[in-house]
Amino acid sequence: MSTDVIDLDQLRARLSELMPDIRRDLEALTRIPSVSLDAFDQAEIERSAEATAALFAAEGFDAEIVRAGGRPAVIARKEGPAGAPTVLLYAHHDVQPPGSEELWESSPFEPTERDGRLYGRGAADDKAGIMAHLAAVRAHGDDLPVTVVVFVEGEEEIGSESLPATLAAYGDRLQADAIVLADSTNWAIGEPALTTTLRGLIRAVVTVSTLSHGIHSGMFGGAVPDGLTALIKLLATLHTDDGEVAVTGLAADSASELPYDEPRLRAESGLLDGVELIGRGPLLERIWAKPSLTTIGIDAPTVDTASNTLVPSARAKISMRIAPSQEPMEAFEILKDFLLDRAPWGAHVEVALDDQGAGFAADATGPMYDAARAAFADAWGHPPVDIGVGGSIPFVAAFAERFPDAALLVTGVEDPDTRAHGANESLHLGEFEKVCLAEAALLARIAALQRP
Ligand SMILES: [Zn+2]
């Protein structure tokens, strides 16, 4: 790969000198148990915000802790040369709860290295994201080639609820030509990736009623339908016999043609022997680009307390992942009409929206994407693959909506063995150095876009 527009050898040499300090600072951040969930001590979130702000302040950034009704976020800014582009770097400093400590091979908040991986809650997701940004900045020393704005959120793991309010209040300070969102994953060890699509989400509650009150199943069963059986029949209409989503009219996008076979999917998902896959089409299309429907909860009498009664009413919560390009409320209306049209035996059906989130489909072309692909190639020796993620990342949609003109680059420090959110979360240290180098090269390449 051509490196004439940037001095790659110099960046690589500087970074390899800097990595021991980066590692030490990453470990210090990981020791702060900054779980954003309400049940945990929120003083720790304040500590991790302060520690994050201090790290950037030490590099000459104007760093400030801000909030808009939620957890503290950090905004830090350092000016590049006059007229240089502005790059916004996103990460989050809150973490998931550690879960049962017995499942961890080393204490979740005491970072520990084993076999080239650093174990700890947040060692990858997403304190390594913060440190990748810091490493990129440090690699340029006093010659920062672009203006850098850093935004480190404190509530990503609880859904980024106050993020739209924060972006509304502080958005003017976050305006940028490119936004690097470092909270996703690479495709494999040695295989970097840009995340270019995310599915959206609809969650709905469907209630099915047949009776004004519960009645004796022996007296009336056989002629009078019950609400629970009617609900089960209704839920069964959502899929065809081979498990394809039966709801018609929903968007279905296409996914990139990366190799991904059934044995890998079976292994990664823990599918039991003999259980068939559902749906149709290429596997990555099914999990990244097409809609999926899952019943995630049912309110009905429990098995232990059930009596011989025709249940008058029952309800279920349905989670629907939608194609990246699908507008969520449009998908909800389609789902709602589908369910109302299929009310079994004239049962009364109500469908209520519980939650919604937009997907993301990047226009992964143009000079910023070219610069990003070249920067990944600088670090790995070959360009990244485009991947999708089947879930939603609320902050990506929030940034896309607030900054429609900026190029959104969704990068990440994770790999398939990271186990973010699970026990024994870890960061691959060798890949992490490449992530840092790619980001340092990206800043230089974005600056070079302006030079003739
Ligand atoms: Zn994350």
Side-chain angles (χ1 to χ4, degrees):
M1 199 68 206
S2 149
T3 56
D4 47 348
V5 297
I6 65 167
D7 193 341
L8 182 61
D9 291 337
Q10 192 185 15
L11 281 179
R12 182 181 281 122
R14 269 204 210 136
L15 260 177
S16 81
E17 275 171 34
L18 288 167
M19 285 321 283
D21 284 352
I22 298 288
R23 163 83 178 268
R24 184 203 60 212
D25 292 338
L26 172 59
E27 290 187 6
L29 280 184
T30 307
R31 284 192 186 94
I32 304 173
S34 50
V35 181
S36 46
L37 213 64
D38 273 329
F40 290 76
D41 182 1
Q42 294 304 301
E44 301 293 356
I45 278 279
E46 302 296 330
R47 270 180 70 208
S48 67
E50 282 159 21
T52 301
L55 284 169
F56 285 96
E59 302 304 319
F61 279 65
D62 252 334
E64 191 190 341
I65 294 174
V66 303
R67 66 191 85 213
R71 308 286 189 256
V74 175
I75 295 177
R77 182 185 187 92
K78 188 174 180 180
E79 299 296 328
T86 300
V87 181
L88 174 63
L89 306 175
Y90 167 97
H92 62 87
H93 66 91
D94 64 318
V95 299
Q96 283 280 325
S100 167
E101 299 223 7
E102 286 135 49
L103 299 174
W104 286 78
E105 282 176 42
S106 51
S107 173
F109 297 109
E110 184 45 57
T112 305
E113 183 178 346
R114 289 192 296 278
D115 299 328
R117 304 190 68 102
L118 186 68
Y119 287 81
R121 169 61 80 235
D125 181 15
D126 187 29
K127 286 168 173 172
I130 301 172
M131 291 311 302
H133 297 330
L134 196 72
V137 165
R138 281 184 185 165
H140 287 286
D142 293 331
D143 302 314
L144 199 58
V146 292
T147 291
V148 172
V149 185
V150 175
F151 181 82
V152 183
E153 193 190 355
E155 57 183 43
E156 197 279 334
E157 301 294 7
I158 52 171
S160 301
E161 252 177 56
S162 73
L163 181 62
T166 308
L167 294 184
Y170 299 96
D172 291 346
R173 289 158 60 178
L174 304 175
Q175 292 284 352
D177 301 290
I179 304 177
V180 180
L181 303 147
D183 191 29
S184 188
T185 183
N186 287 305
W187 180 236
I189 301 298
E191 281 287 352
L194 282 165
T195 301
T196 56
T197 65
L198 301 166
R199 282 194 293 191
L201 172 77
I202 283 292
R203 224 167 40 221
V205 174
V206 51
T207 305
V208 176
S209 307
T210 57
L211 293 159
S212 58
H213 54 90
I215 51 175
H216 196 298
S217 63
M219 308 279 282
F220 297 100
V224 174
D226 68 280
L228 180 53
T229 304
L231 173 67
I232 291 165
K233 267 184 81 70
L234 181 60
L235 294 176
T237 67
L238 291 171
H239 294 91
T240 61
D241 282 347
D242 61 356
E244 180 82 349
V245 170
V247 180
T248 47
L250 293 169
D253 298 347
S254 53
S256 65
E257 288 169 15
L258 287 166
Y260 189 78
D261 58 16
E262 183 168 336
R264 179 168 170 188
L265 176 58
R266 298 188 81 89
E268 286 181 353
S269 64
L271 200 61
L272 297 178
D273 279 347
V275 178
E276 295 167 19
L277 298 178
I278 58 171
R280 295 172 204 150
L283 294 179
L284 291 180
E285 213 156 272
R286 289 187 233 176
I287 60 179
W288 289 350
K290 288 174 63 174
S292 70
L293 270 163
T294 312
T295 302
I296 56 171
I298 293 184
D299 281 349
T302 66
V303 170
D304 286 344
T305 62
S307 61
N308 294 324
T309 304
L310 299 183
V311 174
S313 176
R315 58 181 199 155
K317 190 175 275 188
I318 299 171
S319 165
M320 178 165 69
R321 301 288 174 176
I322 57 178
S325 67
Q326 173 101 61
E327 206 279 307
M329 286 312 290
E330 210 174 87
F332 173 67
E333 291 301 329
I334 291 170
L335 174 67
K336 184 175 168 182
D337 289 348
F338 182 92
L339 291 166
L340 294 179
D341 282 352
R342 281 159 186 77
W345 309 313
H348 297 191
V349 174
E350 283 170 60
V351 183
L353 182 69
D354 182 58
D355 193 15
Q356 59 143 324
F360 170 66
D363 171 13
T365 61
M368 292 299 179
Y369 267 87
D370 291 346
R373 291 192 173 103
F376 276 78
D378 290 337
W380 273 272
H382 55 90
V385 294
D386 287 359
I387 61 168
V389 168
S392 322
I393 308 181
F395 69 77
V396 176
F399 277 92
E401 190 179 323
R402 179 64 181 79
F403 304 110
D405 298 328
L408 256 56
L409 302 165
V410 182
T411 67
V413 299
E414 296 174 24
D415 66 79
D417 290 325
T418 293
R419 300 192 194 178
H421 300 198
N424 301 307
E425 172 182 348
S426 69
L427 174 73
H428 188 290
L429 291 164
E431 291 293 285
F432 178 58
E433 184 165 346
K434 292 193 171 80
V435 169
C436 296
L437 178 57
E439 198 169 306
L442 175 62
L443 299 184
R445 286 188 173 277
I446 288 175
L449 289 176
Q450 276 200 336
R451 291 200 291 270

